[in-house]
């Protein structure tokens, strides 16, 4: 692992634990046992570092969505069944909460969050459309799991993995109802 990667890994950990306000170079350097000079060797400053963190987060989330895309290629019922496991494997609710909070006051973080939300919704909409035969209700149906995922990061106490699986199992049961137009 490169020193640059160590800086980014630690930044993601601090972001998850403390939010964007915790991303202070001096504190990160102390946690890593590195110098501020090391930081400046790899990053042009705090803004460059934050941009690199956002880029890493976006790439990691895009990779997780690509895994969900593979699930969407199978039978719809199987895809919904796999969705909970994929969410539990790839989703870090604390990081999601931290980035969403960061996005409320930072335009760059907001842009990343908007792209990720749009990509997630597009994927879910394709999955529901595949199941419902383009019933016209796919967008509303896609919002169900999307809002569940966003909500998981916001609620306390957080649902257990079993409860999350149960919610997605219920969504899979609801999937056939999406195919009925006009209701």
């Amino acid at each position: 692992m490169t020193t640059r990667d160590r800086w980014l890994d630690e930044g993601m950990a601090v972001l998850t634990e403390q939010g964007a306000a915790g991303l202070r170079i001096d504190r990160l350097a102390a946690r890593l046992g590195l110098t501020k000079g090391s930081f400046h060797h790899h990053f042009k400053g705090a803004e460059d570092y934050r941009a690199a963190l956002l880029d890493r987060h976006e790439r990691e989330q895009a990779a997780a969505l690509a895994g969900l895309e593979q699930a969407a290629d199978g039978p719809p019922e199987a895809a919904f069944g796999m969705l909970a496991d994929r969410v539990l494997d790839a989703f870090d609710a604390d990081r999601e909460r931290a980035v969403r909070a960061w996005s409320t006051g930072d335009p760059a973080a907001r842009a990343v969050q908007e792209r990720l939300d749009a990509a997630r919704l597009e994927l879910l909409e394709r999955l529901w459309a595949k199941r419902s035969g383009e019933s016209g209700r796919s967008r509303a149906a896609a919002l169900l799991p999307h809002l569940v995922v966003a909500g998981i990061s916001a609620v306390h106490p957080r649902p257990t993995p079993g409860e999350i699986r149960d919610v997605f199992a219920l969504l899979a049961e609801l999937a056939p109802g999406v195919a009925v137009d006009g209701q």
Side-chain angles (χ1 to χ4, degrees), residues 21-154:
L23 296 174
R24 300 219 7 204
I25 298 165
D26 53 342
R27 291 181 188 168
L28 289 165
R31 282 176 63 134
L32 287 166
L34 297 171
T35 66
K36 288 168 67 175
S38 169
F39 175 87
H40 290 290
H41 175 75
H42 297 287
F43 306 98
K44 294 175 186 166
E47 287 305 312
D48 184 45
Y49 180 66
R50 288 173 182 244
L53 285 174
L54 287 169
D55 180 63
R56 176 180 274 193
H57 175 69
E58 187 168 14
R59 282 186 289 110
E60 288 174 353
Q61 293 304 303
L65 286 175
L68 291 175
E69 184 81 45
Q70 292 173 355
D73 287 340
E77 294 78 7
F80 283 112
M82 291 172 54
L83 198 55
D85 289 331
R86 298 284 180 138
V87 166
L88 290 167
D89 290 342
F91 181 69
D92 182 334
D94 292 326
R95 183 185 293 181
E96 175 95 0
R97 179 179 49 247
V99 174
R100 283 189 184 283
W102 188 7
S103 74
T104 64
D106 182 281
R110 184 177 313 110
V112 166
Q113 191 62 60
E114 286 175 356
R115 285 192 300 271
L116 289 171
D117 283 346
R120 183 186 293 158
L121 270 170
E122 288 170 13
L123 170 64
L124 291 167
E125 193 168 353
R126 283 194 306 276
L127 181 60
W128 282 96
K130 183 177 178 183
R131 175 61 186 109
S132 66
E134 303 290 342
S135 72
R137 297 176 68 195
S138 298
R139 175 70 177 186
L143 283 167
L144 287 169
H146 175 69
L147 294 173
V148 166
V149 169
I152 289 169
S153 69

